[in-house]
PDB file of all heavy atoms in Angstrom:
ATOM      1  N   GLU A 304     -14.446   5.804  10.712  1.00 94.00           N
ATOM      2  CA  GLU A 304     -15.409   5.158   9.810  1.00 94.00           C
ATOM      3  C   GLU A 304     -16.346   4.232  10.589  1.00 94.00           C
ATOM      4  O   GLU A 304     -17.557   4.214  10.339  1.00 94.00           O
ATOM      5  CB  GLU A 304     -14.676   4.368   8.730  1.00 94.00           C
ATOM      6  CG  GLU A 304     -14.027   5.235   7.681  1.00 94.00           C
ATOM      7  CD  GLU A 304     -13.212   4.434   6.680  1.00 94.00           C
ATOM      8  OE1 GLU A 304     -13.237   3.177   6.713  1.00 94.00           O
ATOM      9  OE2 GLU A 304     -12.528   5.065   5.853  1.00 94.00           O
ATOM     10  N   GLU A 305     -15.794   3.474  11.516  1.00 92.00           N
ATOM     11  CA  GLU A 305     -16.631   2.575  12.326  1.00 92.00           C
ATOM     12  C   GLU A 305     -17.572   3.361  13.221  1.00 92.00           C
ATOM     13  O   GLU A 305     -18.729   2.991  13.391  1.00 92.00           O
ATOM     14  CB  GLU A 305     -15.753   1.641  13.166  1.00 92.00           C
ATOM     15  CG  GLU A 305     -15.036   0.587  12.366  1.00 92.00           C
ATOM     16  CD  GLU A 305     -15.993  -0.399  11.711  1.00 92.00           C
ATOM     17  OE1 GLU A 305     -17.024  -0.754  12.311  1.00 92.00           O
ATOM     18  OE2 GLU A 305     -15.701  -0.813  10.566  1.00 92.00           O
ATOM     19  N   ARG A 306     -17.075   4.456  13.796  1.00 93.00           N
ATOM     20  CA  ARG A 306     -17.919   5.292  14.647  1.00 93.00           C
ATOM     21  C   ARG A 306     -19.084   5.858  13.844  1.00 93.00           C
ATOM     22  O   ARG A 306     -20.231   5.829  14.280  1.00 93.00           O
ATOM     23  CB  ARG A 306     -17.100   6.435  15.247  1.00 93.00           C
ATOM     24  CG  ARG A 306     -17.885   7.257  16.272  1.00 93.00           C
ATOM     25  CD  ARG A 306     -17.257   8.613  16.503  1.00 93.00           C
ATOM     26  NE  ARG A 306     -17.264   9.456  15.315  1.00 93.00           N
ATOM     27  CZ  ARG A 306     -18.340  10.102  14.844  1.00 93.00           C
ATOM     28  NH1 ARG A 306     -19.500   9.980  15.436  1.00 93.00           N
ATOM     29  NH2 ARG A 306     -18.254  10.842  13.756  1.00 93.00           N
ATOM     30  N   ALA A 307     -18.796   6.317  12.630  1.00 94.00           N
ATOM     31  CA  ALA A 307     -19.849   6.863  11.775  1.00 94.00           C
ATOM     32  C   ALA A 307     -20.829   5.765  11.348  1.00 94.00           C
ATOM     33  O   ALA A 307     -22.041   5.987  11.307  1.00 94.00           O
ATOM     34  CB  ALA A 307     -19.237   7.534  10.548  1.00 94.00           C
ATOM     35  N   TYR A 308     -20.299   4.580  11.049  1.00 93.00           N
ATOM     36  CA  TYR A 308     -21.158   3.464  10.642  1.00 93.00           C
ATOM     37  C   TYR A 308     -22.096   3.058  11.775  1.00 93.00           C
ATOM     38  O   TYR A 308     -23.283   2.803  11.556  1.00 93.00           O
ATOM     39  CB  TYR A 308     -20.306   2.269  10.212  1.00 93.00           C
ATOM     40  CG  TYR A 308     -21.113   1.054   9.865  1.00 93.00           C
ATOM     41  CD1 TYR A 308     -21.798   0.969   8.666  1.00 93.00           C
ATOM     42  CD2 TYR A 308     -21.207  -0.011  10.763  1.00 93.00           C
ATOM     43  CE1 TYR A 308     -22.554  -0.153   8.356  1.00 93.00           C
ATOM     44  CE2 TYR A 308     -21.952  -1.129  10.463  1.00 93.00           C
ATOM     45  CZ  TYR A 308     -22.625  -1.197   9.259  1.00 93.00           C
ATOM     46  OH  TYR A 308     -23.377  -2.304   8.955  1.00 93.00           O
ATOM     47  N   LEU A 309     -21.564   3.023  12.992  1.00 91.00           N
ATOM     48  CA  LEU A 309     -22.390   2.667  14.149  1.00 91.00           C
ATOM     49  C   LEU A 309     -23.309   3.809  14.573  1.00 91.00           C
ATOM     50  O   LEU A 309     -24.202   3.615  15.395  1.00 91.00           O
ATOM     51  CB  LEU A 309     -21.491   2.267  15.328  1.00 91.00           C
ATOM     52  CG  LEU A 309     -20.644   1.019  15.114  1.00 91.00           C
ATOM     53  CD1 LEU A 309     -19.628   0.863  16.252  1.00 91.00           C
ATOM     54  CD2 LEU A 309     -21.522  -0.215  15.003  1.00 91.00           C
ATOM     55  N   ASP A 310     -23.072   4.988  14.010  1.00 95.00           N
ATOM     56  CA  ASP A 310     -23.876   6.182  14.288  1.00 95.00           C
ATOM     57  C   ASP A 310     -23.891   6.500  15.789  1.00 95.00           C
ATOM     58  O   ASP A 310     -24.944   6.664  16.405  1.00 95.00           O
ATOM     59  CB  ASP A 310     -25.301   6.008  13.748  1.00 95.00           C
ATOM     60  CG  ASP A 310     -26.039   7.337  13.676  1.00 95.00           C
ATOM     61  OD1 ASP A 310     -25.365   8.377  13.531  1.00 95.00           O
ATOM     62  OD2 ASP A 310     -27.280   7.322  13.785  1.00 95.00           O
ATOM     63  N   ILE A 311     -22.672   6.579  16.337  1.00 94.00           N
ATOM     64  CA  ILE A 311     -22.533   6.941  17.749  1.00 94.00           C
ATOM     65  C   ILE A 311     -21.573   8.126  17.853  1.00 94.00           C
ATOM     66  O   ILE A 311     -20.774   8.387  16.953  1.00 94.00           O
ATOM     67  CB  ILE A 311     -22.023   5.760  18.617  1.00 94.00           C
ATOM     68  CG1 ILE A 311     -20.667   5.247  18.095  1.00 94.00           C
ATOM     69  CG2 ILE A 311     -23.042   4.637  18.663  1.00 94.00           C
ATOM     70  CD1 ILE A 311     -20.040   4.167  18.956  1.00 94.00           C
TER      71      ILE A 311
END
Side-chain angles (χ1 to χ4, degrees):
E304 287 175 6
E305 289 295 323
R306 186 199 64 76
Y308 176 76
L309 296 170
D310 196 27
I311 58 175

